[in-house]
Each structure stands twice: as C-alpha cells, then as structure tokens.
C-alpha cells in the first residue's frame, strides 16, 4: 500500500511542477486587443430595469412595456492598453429583443438596438491569472422599437447610451484571452409620433437592462 502511494505521489509531481510553472500572462503598454463577444440582455421591472412608457396623448391612456423578451446580440471591441491597469478603445454592437406582450394591454413589442461607444477598462489586479476589471462606456444608440398599436408603429430614436459593469478575464496565451462580463446598460429613448388615425403616441424615458457577455480576445 505504501509503495502504491509513493508511486502515485511521484507521478503527480511533474503535473504539480507544470501547474506551478505555467506562466501568468499580462497585458503590456502599447498592446492592442480585438474582441468579439456574444451577449444576452434581460429586461426587468420598472424604467430603471427594462421597461419604458407608451402614452397615447390623444386618449390619455398610458401603459408600460419591455423592449421584448431577453435578447441575443453581439459586439466588436478594439482597445489599446495605456498600461496593464488601463485600456481605452471603442465598441460597436447590436442586439434583438423578440416579441413580448406589453403590460396592461395586449400589444406586441419587439426592438432592435445598435450602439457605438467609447470604451474604458480599468483593471483591479492586472498581474493575476484571473483579472477583474471594470468596463465603462459612453456613446450613442439607435433604437427601433416596433409596437402593435393598430396599426403597428416604429418608434425610432438615436440618443445617448452608456454602460458600466464588472468583468473577469483570463489570458489563455500570449495572444488569446476569454472574458465574462456583466453590465448595466442605459439607452435614452424619447419619441413622439402621430399614427394613421391621428392619435399622438409618446414613448419615454429610456430602455435599460442587465446584460451578460462572453468575449474572445486576440492581442498583438
């Protein structure tokens, strides 16, 4: 029994040594990273968490609505590392929220959101194997929310957008890395239109939601 235990321990030594010697990759000043991410966003309750207001100003009837069901989307990011603690760059992305029923009335809602953002990442522990960072972004979003208001209407708006969150990044090699990121997203949404029945509709004030993103990075 003792001989078997000794053989087992000796066989594990090379694996332990390899794990101990495995390099911890870090970002370097002047490095550029390109990232491709997939994401899903979940609207919640209230205008701070996913709902917006639809008001018929002609009849005085108002109700709340989500942009749709949880979304599927993606984004493309490019960042430049000023130093291992700080990266700056840009992000473009879009996502689609499939049809959902608005609260209060049986109206279908679905939405497309496209954005272009200036991006900053601040790293808390850049020398660690798993790097925690905080993404901050500001820019513009183009929103197209389609509502079944008999007739159906498109509420289109381009305005201020931002997100803030937290991420965990693991560098797999000198060039490749993976990151998981959670964000709170803000998208201003303010539009008034008159439909074919001369009814005036207004949507406001914003579409906000929590998103999760998985990103693959290539660094050079």
């Amino acid at each position: 029994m003792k001989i078997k235990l000794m053989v087992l321990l000796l066989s594990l030594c090379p694996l332990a040594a390899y794990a101990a010697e495995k390099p911890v990759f870090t970002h370097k000043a002047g490095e550029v990273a390109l990232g491709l991410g997939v994401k899903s966003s979940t609207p919640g309750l209230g205008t701070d968490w996913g709902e917006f207001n639809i008001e018929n100003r002609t009849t005085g009837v108002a109700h709340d609505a989500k942009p749709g069901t949880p979304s599927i989307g993606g984004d493309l990011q490019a960042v430049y590392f000023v130093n291992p603690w700080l990266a700056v760059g840009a992000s473009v992305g879009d996502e689609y929220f499939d049809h959902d029923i608005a609260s209060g009335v049986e109206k279908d809602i679905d939405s497309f959101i496209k954005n272009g953002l200036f991006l900053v990442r601040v790293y808390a522990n850049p020398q660690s194997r798993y790097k925690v960072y905080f993404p901050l972004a500001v820019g513009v979003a183009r929103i197209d929310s389609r509502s079944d208001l008999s007739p159906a209407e498109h509420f289109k708006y381009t305005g201020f957008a931002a997100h803030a969150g937290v991420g965990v990044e693991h560098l797999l090699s000198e060039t490749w890395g993976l990151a998981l990121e959670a964000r709170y997203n803000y998208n201003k949404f303010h539009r008034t239109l008159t439909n074919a029945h001369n009814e005036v509709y207004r949507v406001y004030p914003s579409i906000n939601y929590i998103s999760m993103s998985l990103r693959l990075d290539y660094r050079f």
Side-chain angles (χ1 to χ4, degrees), residues 53-64 104-105 200-202:
N53 299 308
I54 299 181
E55 178 185 357
N56 185 328
R57 306 193 81 173
T58 302
T59 64
V61 176
H63 61 277
D64 52 10
V105 291
V200 178
Y201 278 92
R202 176 176 175 242

Side-chain angles (χ1 to χ4, degrees), residues 143-157:
I143 301 173
D144 180 357
S145 187
R146 300 183 293 194
S147 305
D148 180 17
L149 296 173
S150 301
E153 295 291 349
H154 283 216
F155 293 96
K156 298 180 181 180
Y157 181 81

Side-chain angles (χ1 to χ4, degrees), residues 11-34:
S11 66
L12 290 176
C13 284
L15 294 176
Y18 172 78
E21 294 173 2
K22 187 177 181 180
V24 176
F25 299 104
T26 60
H27 294 295
K28 304 174 182 64
E31 183 178 86
V32 174
L34 300 178

Side-chain angles (χ1 to χ4, degrees), residues 3 57 81 114 125 129 143-144 146-147 154 170 199:
I3 294 175
R57 306 193 81 173
F81 280 83
K114 301 178 182 292
N125 55 343
R129 192 178 302 277
I143 301 173
D144 180 357
R146 300 183 293 194
S147 305
H154 283 216
H170 180 55
E199 295 176 316

Side-chain angles (χ1 to χ4, degrees), residues 45-83:
L45 297 175
T47 55
D48 288 336
W49 300 102
E51 292 184 337
F52 60 97
N53 299 308
I54 299 181
E55 178 185 357
N56 185 328
R57 306 193 81 173
T58 302
T59 64
V61 176
H63 61 277
D64 52 10
K66 295 179 183 178
T69 58
S71 72
I72 184 69
D75 52 29
L76 179 65
Q77 299 183 1
V79 298
Y80 171 84
F81 280 83
V82 179
N83 55 50

